[in-house]
């Protein structure tokens, strides 16, 4: 099985994180699963940190166009699954209605898995302003009643990049933030952003005071593998009816991408 991983970062700018992702995927994926890492187009952001842009709904909407072009490219190159590996899940609904291969969202897969592990889940994030988006995504996934809230974890994306060699201080700050979410009603903790998830997973952080800390990336991979299997073995695929689900002709998609100049955005790995 071939899975196209799509990050919201420019992976070539993030050596330690890129390597940590590859190691984590190799550990949790099946031996017959090939996960090819792709990031945003070089020069997308002013620096290696996307958060300055993705905290704004308007800029996140524009950047989501790269997720759409990448999904079409993934289908054309014969990938079995297109997997969005970022908590905000830009253009998840639109991508599902555009391509014919299974599409997995990082946040959605984490939330669905958390619902099988506890009554309510909470999400820890780097960016305070993302709390509103995570709540909206939970409502969109039909899981508002299972959502205990989202809050900042108390450290940053850059702290994680600097902390891969010694994460002890960050882990204690994570535990403190998790306890605040637990007091708010969460009985499953989702480490929101993928870099936070990788840091915790490689240090074996799987619970806080008896409350599970979900490995969101592992859940995302396993759901991608499951959807790929269901498609290949059983013929099960996403709904193809209605405004949100009926895919357009891919030749017309190519014409529209070209009209808006999106055809120049080749994938980045």
């Amino acid at each position: 099985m071939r899975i196209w991983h799509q990050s919201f970062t420019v992976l070539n700018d993030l050596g330690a994180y890129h390597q940590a992702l590859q190691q984590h995927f190799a550990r949790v994926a099946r031996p017959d699963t090939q996960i090819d890492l792709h990031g945003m187009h070089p020069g997308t952001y002013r620096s290696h940190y996307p958060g300055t842009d993705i905290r704004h709904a308007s800029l996140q909407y524009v950047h989501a166009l790269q997720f759409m072009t990448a999904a079409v490219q993934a289908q054309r190159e014969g990938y079995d699954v297109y997997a969005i590996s970022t908590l905000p899940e830009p253009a998840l609904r639109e991508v599902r209605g555009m391509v014919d291969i299974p599409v997995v969202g990082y946040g959605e897969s984490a939330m669905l898995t958390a619902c099988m592990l506890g009554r309510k889940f909470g999400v820890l994030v780097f960016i305070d302003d993302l709390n509103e988006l995570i709540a909206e995504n939970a409502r969109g996934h039909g899981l508002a009643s299972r959502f205990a809230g989202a809050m900042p974890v108390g450290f940053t994306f850059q702290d994680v990049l600097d902390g891969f060699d010694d994460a002890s201080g960050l882990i204690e700050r994570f535990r403190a933030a998790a306890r605040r979410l637990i007091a708010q009603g969460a009985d499953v903790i989702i480490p929101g952003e993928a870099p936070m998830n990788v840091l915790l997973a490689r240090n074996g952080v799987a619970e806080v005071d008896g409350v599970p800390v979900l490995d969101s990336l592992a859940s995302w991979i396993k759901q991608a593998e499951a959807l790929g299997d269901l498609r290949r073995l059983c013929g099960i695929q996403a709904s193809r009816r209605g405004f949100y689900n009926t895919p357009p002709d891919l030749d017309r998609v190519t014409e529209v991408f070209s009209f808006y100049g999106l055809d120049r955005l080749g994938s980045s790995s």
Side-chain angles (χ1 to χ4, degrees):
M1 183 181 301
R2 297 174 65 217
I3 298 174
W4 177 300
H5 156 282
Q6 183 62 46
S7 174
F8 217 159
T9 63
V10 181
L11 286 174
N12 289 336
D13 292 345
L14 303 170
Y17 173 52
H18 194 171
Q19 183 179 21
L21 276 178
Q22 291 173 317
Q23 293 170 347
H24 190 51
F25 291 166
R27 185 174 69 84
V28 302
R30 296 187 323 216
D32 65 340
T33 296
Q34 173 184 324
I35 303 174
D36 293 332
L37 277 66
H38 299 84
M40 301 291 275
H41 192 74
T44 295
Y45 310 113
R46 286 178 171 175
S47 69
H48 65 268
Y49 178 52
T52 305
D53 281 2
I54 66 175
R55 73 187 308 157
H56 301 290
S58 54
L59 292 181
Q60 190 175 132
Y61 180 91
V62 176
H63 288 316
L65 295 172
Q66 291 197 44
F67 285 78
M68 299 175 73
T69 60
V72 171
Q73 185 175 345
Q75 177 169 303
R76 286 186 169 142
E77 293 185 10
Y79 281 85
D80 298 290
V81 182
Y82 178 71
I84 295 175
S85 180
T86 180
L87 183 67
E89 300 175 325
L92 174 61
R93 182 177 63 185
E94 290 75 15
V95 167
R96 281 193 174 135
M98 176 171 281
V99 298
D100 193 45
I101 58 176
V103 178
V104 178
Y106 173 89
E108 181 185 39
S109 65
M111 292 178 188
L112 291 172
T113 304
C115 287
M116 293 184 281
L117 300 176
R119 187 177 60 88
K120 287 197 171 187
F121 60 86
V123 185
L124 291 174
V125 296
F126 293 142
I127 304 168
D128 192 8
D129 291 346
L130 281 187
N131 297 357
E132 296 177 50
L133 175 61
I134 305 312
E136 180 60 33
N137 284 354
R139 284 192 292 270
H141 297 322
L143 300 173
S145 66
R146 310 292 293 274
F147 179 58
M151 63 177 59
V153 70
F155 50 84
T156 68
F157 178 83
Q158 187 61 50
D159 290 331
V160 170
L161 297 185
D162 295 339
F164 278 118
D165 292 331
D166 180 7
S168 56
L170 296 182
I171 290 173
E172 287 310 308
R173 288 156 75 180
F174 171 83
R175 291 186 185 278
R179 289 185 177 108
R180 291 193 292 272
L181 262 184
I182 293 168
Q184 193 169 296
D187 48 17
V188 181
I189 302 297
I190 295 175
E193 284 89 350
M196 186 196 314
N197 186 114
V198 169
L199 184 79
L200 296 170
R202 67 186 287 163
N203 285 279
V205 179
E207 61 86 27
V208 174
D209 299 343
V211 170
V213 173
L214 188 66
D215 186 336
S216 304
L217 283 169
S219 300
W220 166 86
I221 290 169
K222 293 307 173 185
Q223 289 196 25
E225 290 174 336
L227 285 179
D229 285 343
L230 287 171
R231 176 66 178 270
R232 179 172 58 89
L233 299 174
C234 309
I236 296 173
Q237 63 183 45
S239 174
R240 300 287 81 176
R241 293 192 61 182
F243 175 76
Y244 290 106
N245 301 320
T246 304
D249 181 81
L250 274 187
D251 288 338
R252 178 55 183 155
V253 171
T254 299
E255 292 174 353
V256 172
F257 282 176
S258 179
F259 179 83
Y260 286 104
L262 300 176
D263 51 341
R264 69 178 182 83
L265 294 176
S267 70
S268 178
S269 59

